[in-house]
Amino acid sequence: METHKELTIGLFGFGTVGEGLYRILQQTDSLKAKVKKVCIKHPDKKRNAPAELFTTDRNVLLFDEKINVIVEVIDNADEAFEIIRTAFRNGKAVVSASKKMIAEHLPEILQLQLETGLPFLCEAAACASIPVIRNLEEYYDNDLLHAIKAIVNGSTNFILTKMFEDKLEFNEALLLAQQLGFAESNPALDIEGYDAVNKWVILLNHAYGIVEHPDNVLFTGIQNIQLSDAAVAKEKNYDIKLVAQAQKLQNGKVAAFVLPQFVNHEDHLAFVKNEYNGVVIETGFADKQFFYGKGAGSFPTASAVLSDISALRYDYHYEYKKLYHHKPSELTTDFYVRTYISFDKISKVPKDDFEWIEEWHGGQERNYFIGTIHFEKLVKSDWWMQPGVSLILAPEAIIENIEIRLLKKRSLELAGVI
Ligand code: HSE
């Protein structure tokens, strides 16, 4: 029987995830993996581990020939990239949980893997405890993968649940998410959708072979959602979730974005509450499959890092089959979306940009309508992100070009125009 590789780990970061991993490894005797050194930023902080384990000099880890795995779980994306680049050049396998770093440096990270042949595993970087990357890599063929819809940020899902179900104020819910170790050090990254789009870029790569910078994927967070939007959602029997979505259109291209969305109570994603994440995958013949698990927090995230470390024992690599063995898919902005728009002042909304408007409600302080707009018009503008305006997608929001003419005709008929 083949003996498994001995793994000697150099760990960067001893925060929520790093310390969680250290504790888990102490309880996982079966894995022949030992943390030799931990590189930290603040030596004066009290740590629950022997002092001789720690150093502030990254080279002590990166140039130690006994260390064959670098695990990097810090939250400074630029430093994280420098660390992994040196680790690759020094012949070490890399496990990372740095979503921002991976999303922003995807082409370079792919190149480093090609040049060195070393593994780079990052399951913890998207949906924490849910093994979604490895499933997308191994199981779902590009041609069969029709759509993925997911909740990929635990903090915003936690805040929405606490606000709309437990009636907490936004700031109270955020504070709780921070205390529980779900939020980023800069929580604006969660609230404004940056964290979610970074994760989505990583998943688009493993799902469809797409290599795109996060700046090229339309996104926003939950910063503009109002209690009055939640009231409308309730009336219509919907929940509001921050949803990352990708769908292969009939022209073979992929529509992708991260936006707040109305979700039917029967939808799998409505079941996803608090810091949980959920991924619904739609394929050609299997129909829908649903992955569910904790999307943030110390042990759930560390468990994914542990699983990556464990996979290194048998030299597991991502093969990026969709990118290298198939024809990679391309993103498109040429489709329509059905949206709910609420606003304090109509002057903020270019209503003539909409193909049609189905519902219009005027209130004393807030108004809303439901309308269909070409996606490119959202990409090219930012009126929908300004304070006082909130954009929430309708369920089944994507409308392909070929459907639009029929729907347009029908809406005009209903309006009595033709
Ligand atoms: N801040 C992140 C979240 C942590 O809330 O999902 C897990 O990546």
Side-chain angles (χ1 to χ4, degrees):
M1 203 175 84
E2 197 195 334
T3 52
H4 286 140
K5 251 192 184 163
E6 296 252 353
L7 303 174
T8 305
I9 298 170
L11 172 62
F12 281 84
F14 206 71
T16 310
V17 184
E19 186 174 352
L21 176 70
Y22 181 71
R23 303 260 157 268
I24 290 184
L25 278 170
Q26 285 180 317
Q27 294 167 39
T28 319
D29 294 335
S30 60
L31 189 69
K32 285 194 217 136
K34 195 174 133 269
V35 176
K36 186 166 179 208
K37 245 343 178 212
V38 183
C39 185
I40 48 166
K41 205 164 192 170
H42 304 290
D44 302 332
K45 236 188 205 169
K46 196 176 154 2
R47 316 271 174 181
N48 290 321
E52 60 273 17
L53 200 61
F54 296 99
T55 176
T56 52
D57 180 357
R58 63 164 85 155
N59 290 342
V60 170
L61 283 65
L62 291 169
F63 290 88
D64 181 332
E65 285 180 4
K66 295 243 161 52
I67 288 178
N68 54 3
V69 180
I70 291 295
V71 175
E72 174 284 303
V73 291
I74 66 174
D75 74 355
N76 180 317
D78 296 332
E79 279 178 29
F81 182 63
E82 282 313 309
I83 289 164
I84 70 146
R85 182 157 58 182
T86 313
F88 272 120
R89 292 193 172 144
N90 291 353
K92 303 181 191 310
V94 177
V95 176
S96 170
S98 296
K99 315 106 353 149
K100 186 168 185 290
M101 180 274 284
I102 302 168
E104 288 176 354
H105 293 280
L106 198 50
E108 293 114 299
I109 296 172
L110 290 166
Q111 188 58 31
L112 283 164
Q113 288 168 85
L114 283 177
E115 282 167 13
T116 62
L118 288 160
F120 173 81
L121 304 181
C122 61
E123 193 61 75
C127 300
S129 72
I130 308 177
V132 61
I133 295 182
R134 250 190 272 173
N135 272 293
L136 289 171
E137 271 288 311
E138 303 303 326
Y139 194 85
Y140 296 98
D141 191 272
N142 192 25
D143 293 337
L144 299 177
L145 191 63
H146 284 181
I148 324 177
K149 229 164 86 171
I151 291 171
V152 295
N153 180 269
S155 300
T156 43
N157 203 52
F158 180 88
I159 293 169
L160 291 173
T161 310
K162 292 293 173 223
M163 280 174 69
F164 300 149
E165 295 192 12
D166 302 346
K167 307 291 169 223
L168 253 57
E169 294 284 336
F170 179 91
N171 284 333
E172 282 177 289
L174 170 60
L175 187 65
L176 209 50
Q178 288 176 299
Q179 285 165 347
L180 292 166
F182 304 150
E184 298 300 299
S185 330
N186 171 7
L189 293 177
D190 296 300
I191 307 301
E192 295 172 18
Y194 293 94
D195 181 73
V197 78
N198 288 334
K199 290 167 174 166
W200 206 229
V201 161
I202 298 171
L203 293 182
L204 286 171
N205 179 237
H206 291 281
Y208 293 111
I210 291 169
V211 182
E212 248 341 311
H213 193 275
D215 288 350
N216 300 332
V217 177
L218 185 97
F219 74 95
T220 190
I222 61 168
Q223 65 274 29
N224 286 0
I225 294 177
Q226 307 279 328
L227 279 173
S228 53
D229 299 328
V232 175
K234 197 165 176 207
E235 245 172 56
K236 294 179 179 291
N237 275 326
Y238 296 143
D239 287 318
I240 300 174
K241 298 284 187 190
L242 183 61
V243 177
Q245 192 167 344
Q247 185 174 313
K248 204 159 197 185
L249 304 183
Q250 304 216 9
N251 62 11
K253 295 191 176 170
V254 175
F257 45 79
V258 178
L259 292 168
Q261 189 156 9
F262 283 144
V263 169
N264 272 310
H265 288 324
E266 302 74 45
D267 194 297
H268 293 91
L269 294 185
F271 178 76
V272 180
K273 300 196 190 261
N274 293 313
E275 78 274 26
Y276 279 82
N277 284 182
V279 185
V280 180
I281 293 184
E282 227 175 296
T283 67
F285 300 107
D287 202 3
K288 285 187 184 165
Q289 288 157 309
F290 178 46
F291 296 75
Y292 170 77
K294 286 199 170 167
S298 177
F299 285 162
T301 313
S303 82
V305 178
L306 180 80
S307 177
D308 281 349
I309 294 172
S310 172
L312 289 177
R313 288 183 310 169
Y314 49 90
D315 264 332
Y316 177 74
H317 291 56
Y318 299 143
E319 287 178 60
Y320 301 96
K321 295 187 199 75
K322 326 285 168 63
L323 178 60
Y324 298 131
H325 304 179
H326 293 237
K327 187 171 172 283
S329 304
E330 267 176 63
L331 286 186
T332 179
T333 52
D334 190 12
F335 59 96
Y336 295 81
V337 279
R338 206 167 147 244
T339 60
Y340 156 97
I341 307 285
S342 78
F343 49 91
D344 50 7
K345 294 196 189 83
I346 184 63
S347 54
K348 292 182 178 173
V349 181
K351 56 182 191 318
D352 292 342
D353 277 2
F354 285 77
E355 297 300 311
W356 69 82
I357 286 174
E358 304 162 33
E359 248 186 86
W360 186 286
H361 290 257
Q364 279 178 341
E365 284 175 15
R366 247 187 126 65
N367 309 277
Y368 75 84
F369 64 81
I370 293 177
T372 297
I373 187 165
H374 197 275
F375 191 74
E376 181 71 16
K377 289 201 169 133
L378 294 180
V379 173
K380 292 264 163 70
S381 62
D382 57 6
W383 59 264
W384 52 275
M385 279 192 264
Q386 60 187 315
V389 177
S390 126
L391 177 151
I392 301 176
L393 291 185
E396 312 298 336
I398 296 175
I399 303 173
E400 298 201 37
N401 288 340
I402 41 180
E403 295 164 276
I404 195 87
R405 258 172 269 124
L406 270 177
L407 286 165
K408 211 165 172 176
K409 184 163 170 271
R410 187 162 154 65
S411 80
L412 291 174
E413 277 167 9
L414 286 173
V417 178
I418 54 174

